[in-house]
Amino acid sequence: MSTAELLKGAAELFPDEVVTQAHVRHLDLPQGAGRFALITLDNGLDHTKPTTFGPQSLANLNVAIDQVEAEAANGEIVGVGITGKPFIFAVGADLKGVELLKRHEDALAIGKGGHDVFKRLSSLAVPTFAYYNGAAMGGGVEVGLHCSYRTVSAALPAFSLPEVFLGLVPGWGGCTILPNLIGADRAVKVVIENSLNQNKQLKGAQVHELGIADAIFEGADFLEQSLIWTASVLRGELAVERPEIDRGEGWDQAVARGRAVADGKVHGAAPAAYRALDIIEAARNGDLQQGFDAEDQALADLIMGGELRSGIYAFNLVQKRGKRPAGAPDKNLARPVSKVGVVGAGLMASQLALLFLRRLEVPVVLTDIDQERVDKGVGYVHAEIDKLLLKGRVNQDKANRLKALVTGSLDKAAAFGDADFVIEAVFEEMGVKQKVFAEVEAVVPAHAILATNTSSLSVTEMASKLQHPERVVGFHFFNPVAVLPLLEIVRGAQTDDASLATAFGVAKKLKKTAVLCKDAPAFVVNRILTRFMGEIQNVIDEGTPVVTAEKAIEPLGLPMSPLVLLELVGPAIGLHVSETLHGAFPERFTVSKNLAAVVKAGKRGFYVYDSGKPELDPEVAALLVQGDTVLTEEQVRARVLDAVAQEIGLMLDEGVVAEAQDIDLCLITGAGWPFHLGGITPYLDREGVSERVNGKRFLELGVASVPA
């Protein structure tokens, strides 16, 4: 079947594609270097709708290449360039089309179709040039790899091969050409390491440093400078030097390092990274066609697997649902926020002050019980701004302005008398929080929002003794505040729409992913994690060795093991949340006597790191009182997953959030659960746990799985 027929068949499966055109124009290169054909990829929409490659878009590029191929063969042109619309080069395959595929042969056609089109660029009778003028990802990067030469804009903000992050492999040349261009070690960094590091993006300068681009030019006249450079190359005045590739031991070491990175991130739980590394390993012989065939096969296998569907589902949650929170009131009801108050000046409060300051750029005032704490809180914010200045993230003027905006005070009336939004981050105890809110309500303006950063206490109860409980809202951040995107916004029984709308408006300005939660014990993330951790602690208390309980969870590929997570959270906080939930749901949430003993002994966690690796602390081991029921890893995993499935089912029945999608969005953005799980509910569906425990799936077939 010809490429045109292959793509025509694929296009019929995807009628809603946003089609990219490939416009060919001709120009005379500077210095009399000759007539040049420039292909511009453009979907006709502005930069907020990036250019993608669906089947019809690939067909359009194929037709453009037909034209320039004939011109090159006839000696009418001296070279061909490819570039993008303003701010965007191209961002790869259209994932909406991938979601629709139901058959392995259709998935194979997508890989083959892309290869067949792109590799024509490397077989033209004239040299080809890619001009990475703007964001380039996935297939956008790969179309450029098939060209003879590449330039990059210094202003380019994002360049990546994100496929492994989503559960795919770079399947249009990325696994094969890249290591042959820049060496296996650098290719592993781009394909595996950056991808599994929350899809880390490269900037223009890094693309050049890595050797992916042969030259770098400023954004303002990028295309003009690229064409001058092209003319020099074509006239033979400028020879592009590329380093010798180590195809021996260095290649082996790079692949081994990639496997170690993958093991550390996904623990063998998701296949994509390992498939990509297999292709990179085999690419050392320089046989590109063999590599392309392997990419096609891996792409098709992964497209028909559950991890990719979960990955696309997770990506869509973060990109779409995360930006349009379910159940949020009309944004026009939101009130402006021109001054923020923070009650408390400890680490969490100081992190919050810094975030509000940086994102809102309005006066922020901290209060606490003594001057020393207030000074320490303000000092923390100043020190963090100095770090941003050192890194070049802000200039001196902005640093001075931000520092001037943050102040501290012992007098709540003076501090909050004109504040529009006051958030408390004090000790997690109901009486303390009620007292703080009563003091704040007495001094703030009538319109001010009172927000609580509680992780598990009832917002309704906290507001119950106030004259205006309707303006109290839960505003629960996750630690570290600067890193984790989730913000659980909790509606108390009397919270009004204007207060809630203001909270969502502030969340958006803070660039956080806001999810609306009902005022239920521990809200979403902490409730699920506490049930999850509680079941781990139960099996340890009953007699299963700590190492077995920990290893049982590795196949999920979580960012860290349960007991390492407990260390991060703090055993005392973990114990407090389990006590809160035990009070609410005693039949499902236990309070571990062993955890209580660890907290009482003042231990920071279960492990010591003397050898560099976590090992059970002998002092903690001596504290543990265990039964004699020893479970296998499989039995532990089944028990933990059953408990989580049951809890999520109950939370959805209670209406804690609107849908299962919000549970997944919370776990991805608040607890760092991996994309290849889709959060958690697609995994529970895929493993049959949902039906075993609740008698039904959480998600309909096709939502985060291959359509029926």
Side-chain angles (χ1 to χ4, degrees):
M1 193 186 286
S2 72
T3 303
E5 289 168 329
L6 199 69
L7 293 170
K8 187 170 183 288
E12 284 165 7
L13 297 173
F14 184 20
D16 299 328
E17 177 185 348
V18 176
V19 176
T20 297
Q21 303 297 333
H23 304 290
V24 181
R25 63 189 170 111
H26 295 89
L27 43 95
D28 292 319
L29 286 172
Q31 305 154 12
R35 193 160 179 262
F36 189 76
L38 182 65
I39 301 170
T40 303
L41 303 168
D42 191 346
N43 61 6
L45 302 165
D46 70 13
H47 67 278
T48 62
K49 298 282 191 300
T51 307
T52 52
F53 291 119
Q56 186 55 55
S57 306
L58 285 172
N60 290 344
L61 178 57
N62 202 39
V63 169
I65 296 172
D66 284 342
Q67 180 186 337
V68 298
E69 184 179 57
E71 292 168 352
N74 293 335
E76 295 167 26
I77 53 174
V78 294
V80 174
I82 186 164
T83 192
K85 66 183 184 182
F87 310 110
I88 304 286
F89 182 78
V91 298
D94 193 322
L95 292 176
K96 292 196 293 295
V98 172
E99 284 177 89
L100 301 171
L101 298 173
K102 298 180 185 180
R103 299 184 314 160
H104 193 273
E105 54 264 44
D106 293 332
L108 200 60
I110 290 290
K112 199 164 165 5
H115 274 132
D116 286 353
V117 175
F118 288 2
K119 70 187 182 188
R120 295 182 68 196
L121 289 165
S122 60
S123 57
L124 295 179
V126 294
T128 49
F129 298 78
Y131 306 130
Y132 290 123
N133 64 302
M137 295 171 203
V141 168
E142 289 170 305
V143 70
L145 293 178
H146 285 267
C147 294
S148 321
Y149 304 96
R150 286 155 295 282
T151 67
V152 67
S153 165
L156 180 143
F159 183 104
S160 65
L161 289 169
E163 288 83 354
V164 167
F165 177 65
L166 293 170
L168 273 177
V169 298
W172 286 339
C175 291
T176 303
I177 301 174
L178 195 63
N180 279 292
L181 176 69
I182 61 172
D185 194 62
R186 288 177 165 192
V188 163
K189 179 183 172 65
V190 177
V191 174
I192 306 295
E193 211 168 345
N194 288 358
S195 197
L196 289 178
N197 190 10
Q198 293 299 313
N199 191 19
K200 186 179 178 187
Q201 301 293 320
L202 296 168
K203 299 274 195 289
Q206 294 166 301
V207 174
H208 182 236
E209 280 162 27
L210 285 168
I212 300 170
D214 301 305
I216 183 168
F217 301 108
E218 288 304 317
D221 57 352
F222 169 69
L223 190 56
E224 187 183 339
Q225 292 300 322
S226 292
L227 291 170
I228 293 169
W229 181 86
T230 298
S232 299
V233 171
L234 290 173
R235 284 163 57 93
E237 294 162 5
L238 196 148
V240 172
E241 306 266 324
R242 296 204 179 116
E244 193 69 33
I245 302 296
D246 180 346
R247 298 182 184 275
E249 202 178 321
W251 199 288
D252 291 335
Q253 287 170 348
V255 172
R257 189 175 71 79
R259 292 195 195 283
V261 169
D263 287 343
K265 290 287 187 181
V266 300
H267 310 286
Y274 303 98
R275 291 294 292 266
L277 286 162
D278 289 345
I279 301 168
I280 291 171
E281 186 171 26
R284 81 161 81 210
N285 64 9
D287 183 339
L288 296 186
Q289 189 54 53
Q290 178 191 321
F292 296 164
D293 292 343
E295 286 175 349
D296 288 344
Q297 201 56 54
L299 209 57
D301 292 347
L302 292 166
I303 284 172
M304 299 314 291
E307 284 85 0
L308 170 69
R309 305 303 171 126
S310 294
I312 295 174
Y313 163 81
F315 185 77
N316 287 337
L317 286 183
V318 172
Q319 295 299 319
K320 294 174 185 170
R321 194 178 185 93
K323 292 178 170 56
R324 288 187 287 279
D330 182 348
K331 62 176 187 270
N332 295 318
L333 296 171
R335 293 190 281 260
V337 172
S338 54
K339 184 179 179 183
V340 172
V342 181
V343 187
L347 182 60
M348 189 68 176
S350 303
Q351 287 184 65
L352 295 181
L354 178 69
L355 180 70
F356 279 94
L357 184 67
R358 286 194 65 201
R359 297 284 185 238
L360 270 59
E361 296 189 22
V362 300
V364 175
V365 58
L366 297 115
T367 66
D368 213 315
I369 53 175
D370 60 54
Q371 192 64 45
E372 188 184 342
R373 292 180 202 218
V374 169
D375 292 345
K376 191 177 175 187
V378 173
Y380 169 87
V381 177
H382 281 195
E384 290 299 311
I385 292 166
D386 286 337
K387 286 182 196 171
L388 293 172
L389 180 63
L390 272 175
K391 290 176 186 168
R393 305 270 291 277
V394 295
N395 60 26
Q396 188 66 59
D397 283 352
K398 184 154 188 184
N400 294 343
R401 196 166 73 247
L402 289 174
K403 282 184 180 180
L405 284 171
V406 64
T407 55
S409 173
L410 292 175
D411 182 348
K412 287 190 179 71
F416 303 148
D418 56 349
D420 306 302
F421 191 100
V422 179
I423 184 164
E424 69 73 25
V426 299
F427 186 65
E428 191 74 350
E429 209 273 307
M430 183 58 76
V432 175
K433 291 186 185 283
Q434 285 180 330
K435 180 172 179 287
V436 161
F437 268 163
E439 291 170 2
V440 172
E441 187 182 47
V443 299
V444 295
H447 68 270
I449 304 300
L450 304 182
T452 169
N453 183 44
T454 183
S455 59
S456 61
L457 300 177
S458 166
V459 174
T460 302
E461 189 182 342
M462 216 177 289
S464 62
K465 297 182 179 175
L466 298 178
Q467 290 179 327
H468 294 286
E470 70 278 0
R471 57 178 172 168
V472 176
V473 63
F475 213 63
H476 179 220
F477 290 87
F478 289 79
N479 212 353
V481 170
V483 177
L484 290 173
L486 180 64
L487 187 49
E488 289 177 338
I489 296 187
V490 185
R491 182 171 207 152
Q494 291 179 278
T495 308
D496 64 20
D497 280 356
S499 301
L500 202 61
T502 306
F504 274 101
V506 169
K508 190 169 185 182
K509 285 185 178 165
L510 294 175
K511 297 187 178 172
K512 292 294 181 189
T513 299
V515 174
L516 179 62
C517 309
K518 185 178 165 184
D519 186 19
F523 319 126
V524 178
V525 173
N526 283 340
R527 180 161 164 186
I528 293 169
L529 289 186
T530 305
R531 185 77 198 275
F532 174 81
M533 302 281 286
E535 212 53 54
I536 296 277
Q537 280 159 347
N538 287 344
V539 300
I540 292 170
D541 293 355
E542 289 164 19
T544 298
V546 169
V547 66
T548 305
E550 288 269 84
K551 277 183 75 68
I553 304 305
E554 281 189 359
L556 293 176
L558 298 180
M560 62 190 76
S561 77
L563 294 182
V564 173
L565 174 63
L566 182 68
E567 204 169 290
L568 184 72
V569 170
I573 292 173
L575 181 66
H576 174 76
V577 177
S578 67
E579 287 169 343
T580 302
L581 281 159
H582 176 69
F585 310 114
E587 70 287 356
R588 298 194 311 280
F589 287 86
T590 51
V591 179
S592 165
K593 287 183 178 161
N594 281 324
L595 178 59
V598 168
V599 172
K600 190 177 178 187
K603 298 305 256 175
R604 294 175 61 95
F606 277 62
Y607 292 127
V608 287
Y609 295 86
D610 298 339
S611 65
K613 289 181 177 174
E615 291 173 11
L616 189 61
D617 183 339
E619 291 177 21
V620 170
L623 292 170
L624 296 182
V625 178
Q626 292 182 281
D628 52 12
T629 304
V630 180
L631 301 183
T632 64
E633 288 177 26
E634 291 74 21
Q635 289 169 322
V636 172
R637 189 160 57 249
R639 243 179 86 170
V640 171
L641 293 176
D642 284 4
V644 170
Q646 183 194 30
E647 204 56 42
I648 293 171
L650 291 165
M651 289 166 72
L652 293 171
D653 290 345
E654 291 167 29
V656 175
V657 289
E659 289 181 290
Q661 281 87 335
D662 292 314
I663 301 268
D664 293 321
L665 184 57
C666 284
L667 285 173
I668 292 162
T669 56
W673 281 36
F675 268 44
H676 70 258
L677 291 186
I680 184 62
T681 68
Y683 180 81
L684 295 172
D685 285 349
R686 196 162 71 233
E687 297 294 313
V689 182
S690 316
E691 292 190 53
R692 184 171 74 233
V693 175
N694 300 324
K696 60 181 181 182
R697 296 171 61 91
F698 286 116
L699 302 167
E700 288 177 36
L701 268 175
V703 172
S705 54
V706 177

